[in-house]
Amino acid sequence: MAGCVDDGRHLLEEAAPDCPDAILIDISMPLLNGIDAVRRLRSAGCSSKLVILTMHADAEFVSKPWPLARTATSSNTVTPRKS
């Protein structure tokens, strides 16, 4: 199963019933953020592996989802190349 959704609510509609092997999720999604979406997925019994992405650099904000997902963290700053 592979899919793409535009917001956190749609993620729940698509992922909760089927519980895919893995979910790539952004913390800052519209309608329902990634942190709350993961909480709801876990409450529904979905044990999918998660890859959680964010553009946020604030350590407190970025650490919020980790109790919900057993993952390693990586903090990489990307500097755009000048053309």
Side-chain angles (χ1 to χ4, degrees), residues 53-64:
L53 304 175
T54 185
M55 64 175 189
H56 299 281
D58 179 17
E60 184 176 332
F61 183 81
V62 171
S63 67
K64 285 182 180 182

Side-chain angles (χ1 to χ4, degrees), residues 1-74:
M1 174 182 162
C4 182
V5 298
D6 295 330
D7 59 67
R9 288 185 188 161
H10 195 191
L11 170 68
L12 294 178
E13 291 171 7
E14 295 293 319
D18 298 321
C19 197
D21 293 333
I23 300 172
L24 177 64
I25 188 169
D26 188 352
I27 288 178
S28 298
M29 294 188 299
L31 302 180
L32 180 67
N33 70 54
I35 295 168
D36 291 335
V38 168
R39 284 190 181 117
R40 291 185 189 188
L41 285 170
R42 293 297 189 232
S43 293
C46 184
S47 59
S48 299
K49 290 183 173 83
L50 304 172
V51 177
I52 303 172
L53 304 175
T54 185
M55 64 175 189
H56 299 281
D58 179 17
E60 184 176 332
F61 183 81
V62 171
S63 67
K64 285 182 180 182
W66 304 139
L68 303 168
R70 293 175 294 175
T71 62
T73 62
S74 176

